[in-house]
Amino acid sequence: MTAADQRTNSPTPAPGGTAQLAGRTVARIGFGAMQLEQRAVGPDTALAILRLAVREGINHIDTAHFYGPCNTFIHDALAPYPDDLVLVSKVGADREADGKLVPAQRPEQLRAQIEANLATLGAGHVGVVNLRRLDAQPGLIAEGDQRVDLNSQLAELTALRDAGKIGAIGLSNVSANQLRQALPAGIACVQNLYSILDRSAEPVLELCREHGIAWVPFFPLGSGFPNRPKATDNPTVVSIAKELGATPAQVALAWLLAHYDNTLLIPGTSDPAHLAENIAAGSLRLSRASVTALDQLTTPD
């Protein structure tokens, strides 16, 4: 039975409700494939969790060719792809033969990465491609000939969109000024570091609100870096979770969903129980008092 057959024969509610992404209706809780690479899971585990995610109503999967074997996992698990599945990939970095992650910001490199994504996904086009800028932390910083102006990159991605290789253009790790500069190209979504404890990207989110752009926070629990506060450890989050009979992670994710109607979450996991927990966060309803308390949280100095 194909993934499409599974969805047709077993319709399920969209986790977290729905929102628009590049003109497509997607579940607000998607799946981030990067965890499959980071945790170095085997093919059997990866394929099983991807198939389970789709059966549970997830139809928005975030990946990248430079996430190691993730695209191959997605192809082997889900191809031929269901019509309602939106695959979102990322360009801007690449891996050398020894596995080292390096910047790949030049227009010709962006094109090569998109072709690599198409090949490993076994797809004729990718629904959305996010351009990962490397101007600021977290992660790699572009230097030398990798410091490329945004307009040159957008011109290349626009040409690829016009050619039907990609459906829409997204941005990742950008400032409000960069998003404003890119708006004429037509931006479908923005992926930035953002959580209940780290709202330094709030100006970018406000611009997304203004233009109805999908907002996809990465590291939404604040746990992507060592020695940084984690939402799941915050006393207010823990207290509210206890009152609701939920987990702290579910409370933090539910707050993100409540903060902006066009927020899409892409938590990743290789554990079915953890997948179920993430999906259940989409049904958690926070009281007005809880939202007010959570709104007041900030990252400690």
Side-chain angles (χ1 to χ4, degrees), residues 91 110 114 129 131 153-161 166 169:
V91 296
L110 301 181
I114 288 173
V129 168
L131 168 63
Q153 295 176 314
L154 291 172
E156 187 70 21
L157 294 178
T158 298
L160 288 160
R161 184 179 61 191
I166 64 178
I169 300 167

Side-chain angles (χ1 to χ4, degrees), residues 106-125:
R106 298 194 306 272
E108 71 273 15
Q109 292 175 309
L110 301 181
R111 179 178 288 268
Q113 290 168 64
I114 288 173
E115 294 292 352
N117 274 288
L118 294 174
T120 50
L121 286 169
H125 79 284

Side-chain angles (χ1 to χ4, degrees), residues 15-100:
T18 61
Q20 293 296 301
L21 175 61
R24 304 278 298 277
T25 300
V26 297
R28 295 183 69 199
I29 294 180
F31 184 88
M34 184 175 68
Q35 287 282 344
L36 302 180
E37 186 262 341
Q38 288 186 333
R39 297 184 182 278
V41 303
D44 290 346
T45 298
L47 270 57
I49 200 72
L50 286 162
R51 289 168 178 156
L52 178 59
V54 169
R55 287 199 302 272
E56 293 297 323
I58 288 174
N59 62 350
H60 163 214
I61 296 179
D62 182 86
T63 185
H65 178 65
F66 57 81
Y67 288 170
C70 293
N71 282 0
T72 300
F73 289 155
I74 291 168
H75 171 267
D76 292 349
L78 302 176
Y81 299 113
D83 291 339
D84 66 341
L85 180 65
V86 178
L87 297 177
V88 179
S89 195
K90 188 182 289 90
V91 296
D94 205 352
R95 287 195 182 274
E96 296 182 330
D98 61 1
K100 180 183 178 182

